[in-house]
């Protein structure tokens, strides 16, 4: 009886250890984690979130990667800067897509403040061991050529200065294509989301897969 009990105990111990190993491996099956810190463009304003470009990208990348959508409609670079430390600590991302600044521009906020906020977020990401990625933004033409041009120039300037990947704004066609913009004249519809996803995926997928293969 003692021998049988000893064998049973060893068997249970082995099964328990094996189960713990499976849990550990299962918790790390994804190759990399992406945090999307954005505004209404990434939050899916006016549409179901599952139809938004972030959710579509997550489906495309599959279980190998994890995407955290930390976007809030109406958010500014100041709001993103305030929220970023907690998100970095909670999710420990490998990459952070900074899709912010549009609302700063729409509100006519000082561009030097917006630039400082973006720079501070880049530094926070790097301090946390995450690689920042900038998403370039543009303003509608009715905001004046001088201000709009200065606004759009901030992103490539920061990209070059800080050696950060820049996803340039390549969505101009949406504004003049029927069915792609909501009635407010500003936010993309559900039909536009796959197009946005494809543009962003073209930049992020090689980056994330490259990190997974290291």
């Amino acid at each position: 009886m003692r021998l049988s009990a000893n064998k049973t105990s060893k068997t249970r111990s082995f099964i328990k250890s094996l189960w713990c190993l499976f849990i550990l491996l299962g918790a790390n099956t994804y190759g990399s984690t992406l945090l999307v810190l954005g505004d209404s463009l990434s939050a899916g304003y006016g549409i179901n979130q599952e139809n938004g470009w972030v959710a579509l990208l997550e489906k495309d990348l599959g279980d190998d990667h994890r995407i955290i959508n930390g976007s809030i409609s109406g958010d500014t670079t100041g709001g993103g800067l305030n929220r970023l430390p907690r998100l970095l600590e909670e999710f420990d991302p490998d990459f952070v897509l900074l899709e912010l600044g549009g609302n700063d521009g729409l509100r006519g906020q000082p561009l030097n403040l917006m630039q400082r906020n973006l720079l501070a977020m880049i530094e926070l990401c790097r301090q946390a061991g995450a690689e920042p990625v900038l998403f370039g933004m543009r303003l509608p033409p009715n905001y004046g050529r001088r201000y709009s041009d200065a606004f759009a120039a901030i992103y490539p300037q920061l990209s070059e200065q800080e050696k950060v990947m820049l996803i340039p704004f390549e969505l101009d066609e949406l504004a003049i294509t029927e069915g792609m913009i909501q009635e407010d004249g500003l936010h993309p519809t559900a039909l536009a989301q796959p197009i946005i996803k494809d543009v962003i995926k073209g930049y992020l997928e090689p980056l994330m897969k490259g990190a997974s293969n290291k």
Side-chain angles (χ1 to χ4, degrees), residues 90 98 121 124 134 141 150 196:
E90 182 176 355
L98 300 172
M121 284 187 278
L124 282 173
L134 278 175
I196 300 171

Side-chain angles (χ1 to χ4, degrees), residues 130-141:
E131 185 173 343
V133 178
L134 278 175
F135 185 89
M137 304 294 291
R138 289 185 188 172
L139 294 177

Side-chain angles (χ1 to χ4, degrees), residues 3-185:
L3 183 60
S4 178
N6 188 39
K7 286 184 177 179
T8 301
S9 177
K10 286 183 178 180
T11 301
R12 287 177 177 173
S13 178
F14 173 75
I15 292 174
K16 184 177 181 181
S17 298
L18 193 60
W19 178 246
C20 290
L21 178 61
F22 284 154
I23 292 175
L24 182 61
L25 291 174
N28 293 280
T29 53
Y30 53 84
S32 58
T33 298
L34 167 69
L35 168 65
V36 180
L37 187 65
D39 50 33
S40 56
L41 179 64
S42 300
Y45 177 87
I47 62 173
N48 292 328
Q49 280 202 351
E50 60 266 26
N51 296 325
W53 75 261
V54 178
L56 296 179
L57 178 62
E58 188 168 32
K59 290 178 183 177
D60 276 12
L61 294 179
D63 296 333
D64 292 338
H65 303 281
R66 180 173 65 154
I67 299 181
I68 308 299
N69 195 351
S71 306
I72 296 178
S73 293
D75 205 6
T76 62
T77 57
L81 179 58
N82 289 333
R83 296 191 296 113
L84 183 56
R86 181 186 62 80
L87 292 169
L88 289 171
E89 181 178 0
E90 182 176 355
F91 297 108
D92 189 26
D94 300 288
F95 304 96
V96 179
L97 176 61
L98 300 172
E99 184 274 299
L100 286 170
N103 288 306
D104 298 61
L106 292 175
R107 298 174 187 182
Q109 294 185 0
L111 296 182
N112 60 347
L113 174 60
M114 182 185 105
Q115 187 168 9
R116 287 200 303 270
N117 288 339
L118 288 170
L119 179 58
M121 284 187 278
I122 289 171
E123 292 174 348
L124 282 173
C125 290
R126 286 177 167 162
Q127 289 170 10
E131 185 173 343
V133 178
L134 278 175
F135 185 89
M137 304 294 291
R138 289 185 188 172
L139 294 177
N142 58 314
Y143 276 75
R145 180 75 177 270
R146 189 173 182 178
Y147 184 81
S148 297
D149 287 351
F151 171 89
I154 286 176
Y155 297 92
Q157 288 171 1
L158 274 177
S159 173
E160 183 176 357
Q161 173 187 320
E162 298 301 317
K163 309 303 179 191
V164 175
M165 174 183 278
L166 172 67
I167 300 178
F169 191 85
E170 300 176 358
L171 306 173
D172 294 302
E173 288 294 319
L174 296 182
I176 57 175
T177 303
E178 185 177 357
M180 295 296 173
I181 300 296
Q182 298 180 36
E183 292 183 359
D184 60 10

